[in-house]
Amino acid sequence: AFVKYFSRSLHRSESPLKPYQSHQFLVELKNGEFQKNSIQLNSSPHNILESMASSIDFTPPPPPVAETAESLQRNNYHGTGSFQRAVDSKDVFGNASRNDVDHLIWTAGWGAHALNRRQRQQKLDKNLLHFLRNMNPNEIKERKLNRIGASAAALVARRAFQFSAVDGTGLGWSSESLKICLDRLTSLYDEHKSKFRTDNFYPFRLVLSSDEFNLKIDLYGGVIMLNPAATSLQWLDTLASVTDDSKRVLKHNRQILERNLATVEDALGVKVKKGYSCGSREYHHCMERLANEQSAVDSERSDESSLSVALNATVVIETEQACRRGKLRNDGNFEVGAGMGLHQIRTVFNRYANRSSELILEQKKERDESEAFADRATYEFGLQRVYKVSTAPMVSYEEMSQALVHLLNKDEAEKSAIRNLLVGQTVGITGRGQTCHVADDGSVVVPYNFS
């Protein structure tokens, strides 16, 4: 039986606080007959649901079957759960259920075999000689040509709009896809250049990014943001909003920033640069505030000895939300927030100056060693160059040296085979978790822990 419709006839109560006590409705049975029912609305929700279920002959499903000790032990042993049949262990054809088959596979050891096979495949993916022997040489040539095509498309777009630079590396796209996006930008210029309100866009820099920004024209950093997912008309609206006054404001802001930056660097005695999380406007206001603070208070540097130790370090200004107190980075540079004052920054210097100097010396030593091993590997294997991949996962100079030493210490037979397959190529060293692969620019990328 199922509910056909609800009747609008209601029994009204004499009490004004309870205007409705019951609701009547009709239920159409399977034989076509109608049955009249009512629900007491002033009852508890449990009683209301029970009356509705009894009127349509609703049978609740059986409760879930409790797992046995054997099933719990099996699931805990393999580290994963499985669905249990509620009735029996055979299907309608009398065959064993899928859960029993899974249990037979695990007890026979097939699951462990599949796991071992996957581990062996991962080892092969990190085997450099195995990768080079099975690599398609045409793939390297094709990716190199695509990178040349993308660079040429970026050059055409930069010269057409007269941008100071065109940057699309933050998209993470392939060179082939990036070239299509840049060609669309050049076509926009050829078709709508008469609608622009300026003859050229210098000194603005174009950045293609999938992120959304409230202000697509940055008059402090000199950046024009375009979303590649936007339409050409949306691009046109953004580019048409740039005027000659925008360029004058940008140049004025840059002059103020250079003057304030020189004052702050002279006061602190170290180089200062903008961090990744700090916006251009926030960085501009931070430098202006610090310069005014230095001009208002003619104070000497606190603890010259501590500052002289860290002269090679750099102060990185991050946004105030990301950095509320100063700290020392692994590369020996200081990280401070945009809301900190000169006294707080000097306090950070005095606290970490000695450790900063030690880290910088260690970094320089590791970098010199890795460059020496890279030169040796370039000469022995006939490579164009060996570089450290700068994208995540990051690899340190120590790990890069470890990879190059492992490559140089291979036996002569394997080194000869690798040399014949790698001659003339570019090799990049990446971090843990990666496998041997061909990068977008056609270089051979290997993890530092390759075999």
Side-chain angles (χ1 to χ4, degrees), residues 28-45:
E28 184 180 4
L29 304 178
K30 292 182 179 180
N31 56 7
E33 297 180 357
F34 291 93
Q35 181 180 357
K36 186 177 180 180
N37 291 276
S38 63
I39 298 178
Q40 300 296 326
L41 298 180
N42 56 352
S43 301
S44 63

Side-chain angles (χ1 to χ4, degrees), residues 49-50 58 77 104 130-131 154 156 167-168 216 222 230-231 250 259 280 293 344 374 395 432 436:
L49 293 176
E50 278 190 347
F58 175 74
Y77 174 76
L104 289 175
H130 177 270
F131 170 75
V156 171
D167 184 10
K216 299 183 182 299
T231 63
L250 173 61
R259 184 170 61 251
S280 300
E293 181 181 346
Q344 294 174 302
V395 58
R432 182 184 299 273
C436 298

Side-chain angles (χ1 to χ4, degrees), residues 217-334:
I217 309 298
D218 186 2
L219 297 180
Y220 292 92
V223 177
I224 299 177
M225 308 293 299
L226 292 181
N227 193 329
T231 63
S232 299
L233 295 180
Q234 290 174 325
W235 285 0
L236 180 61
D237 292 339
T238 302
L239 295 172
S241 62
V242 180
T243 61
D244 293 334
D245 292 337
S246 302
K247 296 189 292 184
R248 283 193 291 269
V249 172
L250 173 61
K251 292 180 180 179
H252 177 68
N253 290 336
R254 285 186 171 178
Q255 291 175 358
I256 295 177
L257 178 62
E258 291 177 359
R259 184 170 61 251
N260 293 333
L261 183 61
T263 303
V264 174
E265 289 181 346
D266 183 67
L268 296 177
V270 293
K271 293 293 182 180
V272 180
K273 70 175 183 179
K274 184 177 75 69
Y276 180 79
S277 63
C278 185
S280 300
R281 184 174 182 177
E282 185 180 11
Y283 179 69
H284 179 90
H285 291 328
C286 176
M287 292 296 103
E288 184 178 9
R289 178 178 52 80
L290 294 177
N292 294 335
E293 181 181 346
Q294 176 63 22
S295 301
V297 181
D298 187 14
S299 60
E300 298 180 356
R301 302 170 188 168
S302 60
D303 199 351
E304 288 283 342
S305 60
S306 298
L307 291 178
S308 61
V309 178
L311 285 178
N312 295 327
T314 303
V315 176
V316 183
I317 306 295
E318 298 291 350
T319 184
E320 188 176 3
Q321 289 76 13
C323 181
R324 297 187 179 273
R325 61 179 183 178
K327 62 181 181 180
L328 183 65
R329 291 186 170 182
N330 294 331
D331 56 358
N333 294 327
F334 301 98

